[in-house]
Amino acid sequence: MAAVRVRWRRRLVVAALGTAATLAAGVLPPVGAAPERAAERGAERSADGSAGLAADRSTGHAAGQSPRRSVEAYGPEPRQRVTVHWQPRRAPRGGLVILHGGYWSYDTDWGGRARAFARRGYAVFDAGYRLAPDVRWPAQRDDVVAALRWVRRNAAAYAVDPARVAVLGSSAGGQLAVAAATYGAGASRAAGVVALSPVASPYRAWLDGGAPGATAAGRRLRASAERLAGCVPDGTPAVSADPACRRAWRSLDPRSEASGRDDAPMLLLHSAADFVPAYHSEAVAAAERARGMPAEDVRVRVVPGDAHGMRLLAEPGVEGEIEGWLRGRIG
């Protein structure tokens, strides 16, 4: 009996060691991912039951698997983080960087939408950025450029083709998305930009927010634009007698950086009664076409209703149109 008990103990030890090795192999983080996230990813795999699902041979996906998630730093500041949602696969795919709205002063939750895009096959990078009034412009644009640089540098860890990275921004994040498309050679950092209700001219929003009959949202946007710029314009065509203030407001407008063919293609969407009207985007489109961007590479779309930002995705046909536009540029 003693010999039997010894043999059984040996078998249990061997089985436990084998199980531990298997689990360790299953939760190793991708290259470039923070090691401390490995346990969290393992817990997610166990919770959704995906660890044992068979992989699709053509893509490397685990059939029915929920997207994995990790939080990575693209800079030293607490807000300089990307939350990555991705499905394991071998074949290179497109990446999508999401820029939230929130009047440049607070975060809005895009987690559900990010996971939905990840289930469609994209690797999704939900990017944070520093907020006003803690920092002034152009810190927000600098953060977006840095986040895009991080995504391209770490693309292989998520099976992303670095030449197939697009940006989706909403409201204030839409302004940042358009700024990323136009600043310098925007096409070198993004294959395309989708912007929902982009506040493409914060100065125009400031004027509108001070007009008689301005909505509460418009007045709030006016105050937010002041905090972003760090100064108050005087409402004249010169914007401000202070050269530094004048430069800040001019820099906020992506038209000041528009260069035509060097810029990323754009799909810009508003609703007919959006409190950020379509003329914000129409002015960007006109500036880009005047500098040589093909008309088909900068499209402004206006849909019925009064939806703003993320709510546009619930309007009939909008999500499908965005999906088709992205497929044509990042696959």
Side-chain angles (χ1 to χ4, degrees), residues 243-308:
C245 188
R246 189 163 56 246
R247 285 193 299 271
W249 284 92
R250 184 178 185 275
S251 174
L252 279 166
D253 191 328
R255 290 178 299 171
S256 67
E257 298 285 349
S259 56
R261 293 181 182 273
D262 285 343
D263 293 339
M266 288 173 266
L267 174 62
L268 312 173
L269 299 102
H270 298 259
S271 67
D274 201 326
F275 80 87
V276 177
Y279 54 65
H280 281 257
S281 292
E282 289 164 351
V284 172
E288 288 289 4
R289 290 168 185 153
R291 291 164 175 78
M293 178 175 279
E296 62 272 17
D297 280 352
V298 54
R299 182 182 179 192
V300 180
R301 171 96 152 85
V302 180
V303 302
D306 62 357
H308 174 79

Side-chain angles (χ1 to χ4, degrees), residues 14 41 77 97 107 109 127-128 140 162 188 200 243 265 289 291-292 306:
V14 170
R41 280 191 289 271
E77 300 298 327
V97 176
D107 202 342
D109 184 9
Q140 294 77 13
S188 67
R289 290 168 185 153
R291 291 164 175 78
D306 62 357

Side-chain angles (χ1 to χ4, degrees), residues 110-176:
W110 273 79
R113 290 289 182 181
R115 290 188 293 274
F117 278 111
R119 284 192 290 270
R120 293 172 192 167
Y122 300 109
V124 183
F125 305 85
D126 190 357
Y129 50 87
R130 288 171 292 169
L131 302 173
D134 297 336
V135 293
R136 298 177 180 177
W137 184 265
Q140 294 77 13
R141 183 185 64 196
D142 294 344
D143 284 358
V144 171
V145 170
L148 283 165
R149 188 183 305 118
W150 184 94
V151 169
R152 291 168 68 90
R153 189 169 60 243
N154 292 277
Y158 305 97
V160 169
D161 179 349
R164 291 159 55 196
V165 175
V167 180
L168 170 62
S170 173
S171 193
Q175 184 260 351
L176 295 175

Side-chain angles (χ1 to χ4, degrees), residues 8-223:
W8 273 106
R9 288 188 186 120
R10 287 174 178 169
R11 290 176 184 173
L12 288 171
V13 169
V14 170
L17 289 173
T19 302
T22 301
L23 289 172
V27 300
L28 283 176
V31 175
E36 61 269 20
R37 303 297 298 182
E40 179 179 332
R41 280 191 289 271
E44 288 171 353
R45 285 162 59 87
S46 299
D48 64 25
S50 62
L53 295 177
D56 182 286
R57 292 183 182 276
S58 63
T59 65
H61 280 83
Q65 183 179 25
S66 295
R68 295 185 182 184
R69 176 183 177 276
S70 68
V71 180
E72 315 298 346
Y74 67 83
E77 300 298 327
R79 294 283 316 165
Q80 294 172 327
R81 300 289 184 269
V82 288
T83 302
V84 191
H85 304 267
W86 82 103
Q87 297 272 23
R89 66 179 286 172
R90 290 187 295 271
R93 59 171 152 207
L96 182 64
V97 176
I98 290 178
L99 302 175
H100 65 81
Y103 295 87
W104 303 284
S105 60
Y106 65 89
D107 202 342
T108 54
D109 184 9
W110 273 79
R113 290 289 182 181
R115 290 188 293 274
F117 278 111
R119 284 192 290 270
R120 293 172 192 167
Y122 300 109
V124 183
F125 305 85
D126 190 357
Y129 50 87
R130 288 171 292 169
L131 302 173
D134 297 336
V135 293
R136 298 177 180 177
W137 184 265
Q140 294 77 13
R141 183 185 64 196
D142 294 344
D143 284 358
V144 171
V145 170
L148 283 165
R149 188 183 305 118
W150 184 94
V151 169
R152 291 168 68 90
R153 189 169 60 243
N154 292 277
Y158 305 97
V160 169
D161 179 349
R164 291 159 55 196
V165 175
V167 180
L168 170 62
S170 173
S171 193
Q175 184 260 351
L176 295 175
V178 177
T182 60
Y183 183 60
S188 67
R189 69 175 66 95
V193 162
V194 178
L196 308 174
S197 307
V199 190
S201 175
Y203 182 64
R204 182 64 183 266
W206 183 86
L207 291 172
D208 291 348
T215 64
R219 293 193 298 272
R220 183 179 184 184
L221 186 57
R222 173 186 170 97

